[in-house]
Structures are given as structure tokens and as C-alpha cells.
Amino acid sequence: TDQHRRNVEDALGWQDAAEQSLSAITAAAQRARDLLVQGSSDSADRTSREAIAAEVEQLIASMKENANATYRGSHVFSGAMTLTAPYDAGSADDSYHGDDAGFDPAIPGIVREIGPGVSMTINVVGHEVLGRGQAAGDDGLLHVLRDAVDHLRAGDGPSLRGTDLSRLDDGIDSLLEVRARNGARSNRLETALTRLDEMKESTVRQLSETEDADIAETLIELNSQTAAYQAALRAGASIVQSSLMDFLR
């Protein structure tokens, strides 16, 4: 039971690390949307759009940095490749470098046993959150924002107002779905931890009832045995009345 509690607490720590990163990525995506609304306006000139494009690029780098979050030395969004950062935050390469463990049903993810015979996958893979980049053409957040940067620098307001904003909204919705799933896992883990605490309390009580001594009964038995022992010593002493003269004979 203690081992299962440790497993659950470790899983909760993993979930908390993931949620902190997802929250920061969501805030960056919302900020990027606000910037795209500004940049899509026909009143925005080339200079302002260039400044917006530069800020969006910084937001992209921030998203990738948050996606590279670790928990106890393990990357939380890289699938089973926990020693590999899912994204290269310092370059224009937006490809995903982890694997599909936990996303592909055929590939086991990061699993914790949270109860007798009960296991739970706790990880989210990075491409569910940000996608695989512009080159993959998957309409993930990184793909959409890279397209938006290109359209900002090209002064393409119609694309920004139309497809870019719509695709970005879809990406944010997908991100919120991932956060909701992560939150549901956290709730399940909290419930499991409460159940394990109750199980431990019950187990300790049962062990106590089975193994612990009845103090009152034990003291009575001890006193009874002590009295019998002392009586036996006195009886023996009265029967064997040896003296120094007995030994001299």
C-alpha cells in the first residue's frame, strides 16, 4: 500500500509539471491570437506587422521551451524517450523528437501502478500539444503560428483574418482538450490517493487486532506467572534446608 501511495504521489508530481507547462503554452497561444487580430487589421502597417511577427516568433520559442519541461530529470512530453527534449527550442526546427508512447495504443506510455492490479498512463506526447511543425503540415500550433508569421511579413491580412485565426482557434481548443484530460487524470490520482490512505488505515487496524498484545490481559498473566514462580521458590527453599554442617559431613 505504501508503494502504491508513492507511485500515485509521483504520478501527481508528473501531472502537476505537465499542467504548469500546458498553462504557460495556453497563455502564449492566447497572446499570439491577440497579436494576430492586431496584425490582421488593414490599419496595421508593415513596421507594426514586422514587430508582431517578431513577438509571435518569441512566443513560439517560449511554447517549445515549456514543452521541454522535465520532472525529476525526465522530459514529460517526449513519450518514452524521457531523456530527449521533444523540441529544439533554440532553432527554427519545430519537428517533434520524442516518440508516440502513450499516444499510439500499440506503444505503452509512462505507466504507474496506482493500486492492486490497477495501472494508469500518465504522459502526454508533445505533438498532441504543439504538433510536428510547419514541414509536417499537420495544422498544429507550431504550423499555424509559422504560417501566421509568414503572412504577417507578407502583409497578407485576408489570410490572417481568415484561415490563420480559425486554425489557431482549433489549435487552442485541442490544447484545452489535452489540459482537460490531464486534469481528469489528476482527479483520478487524487481519488486513488484518498482510497489508499483509507486502505492503509484499515490494514493497520486489522494488523493491530491480529498482532498487538492485550495489555491488561498480558499484565494479569504476568502477575499470575510471577506469583506462581515466587511460590515455587519459597516451597523449594522450605524443603531443602541445607546448612554448613550438611556440607562438612
Side-chain angles (χ1 to χ4, degrees), residues 61-72:
S62 173
M63 289 179 178
K64 291 162 68 176
E65 288 171 2
N66 281 290
N68 288 345
T70 60
Y71 174 68
R72 292 185 175 179

Side-chain angles (χ1 to χ4, degrees), residues 40-59:
S40 66
S41 172
D42 290 334
S43 62
D45 58 20
R46 180 176 180 179
T47 301
S48 62
R49 282 178 172 166
E50 180 63 34
I52 290 172
E55 184 172 350
V56 171
E57 285 183 327
Q58 292 301 311
L59 290 171

Side-chain angles (χ1 to χ4, degrees), residues 69-245:
T70 60
Y71 174 68
R72 292 185 175 179
S74 297
H75 288 279
V76 298
F77 294 113
S78 292
M81 298 175 62
T82 55
L83 299 181
T84 302
Y87 293 99
D88 186 354
S91 75
D93 176 19
D94 294 336
S95 58
Y96 171 68
H97 301 298
D99 62 20
D100 281 349
F103 177 76
D104 185 342
I107 307 176
I110 307 300
V111 177
R112 295 290 182 272
E113 184 174 317
I114 62 173
V118 181
S119 296
M120 179 179 174
T121 300
I122 62 172
N123 71 298
V124 174
V125 298
H127 66 75
E128 285 188 88
V129 180
L130 297 181
R132 299 179 184 272
Q134 196 174 31
D138 58 2
D139 280 335
L141 283 174
L142 294 177
H143 177 199
V144 173
L145 292 176
R146 291 295 186 190
D147 284 352
V149 168
D150 292 341
H151 294 152
L152 283 165
R153 290 186 168 138
D156 189 352
S159 293
L160 290 167
R161 288 190 296 270
T163 56
D164 288 349
L165 279 173
S166 176
R167 292 162 62 210
L168 181 55
D169 286 339
D170 290 341
I172 292 173
D173 288 343
S174 296
L175 177 58
L176 294 177
E177 289 177 5
V178 172
R179 290 187 66 185
R181 188 164 71 248
N182 196 66
R185 286 173 175 166
S186 295
N187 290 338
R188 181 183 175 190
L189 289 168
E190 292 284 1
T191 301
L193 189 60
T194 300
R195 176 176 50 80
L196 288 169
D197 286 338
E198 294 172 350
M199 185 183 299
K200 180 177 181 179
E201 181 181 354
S202 174
T203 303
V204 169
R205 185 171 61 252
Q206 291 173 13
L207 287 172
S208 176
E209 292 172 353
T210 303
E211 299 176 348
D212 289 358
D214 186 321
I215 299 300
E217 181 180 351
T218 301
L219 288 175
I220 292 171
E221 182 67 21
L222 175 62
N223 290 332
S224 175
Q225 294 291 340
T226 301
Y229 176 63
Q230 294 295 336
L233 290 177
R234 286 193 298 271
S238 63
I239 294 172
V240 182
Q241 296 289 342
S242 300
S243 66
L244 180 60
M245 295 303 296

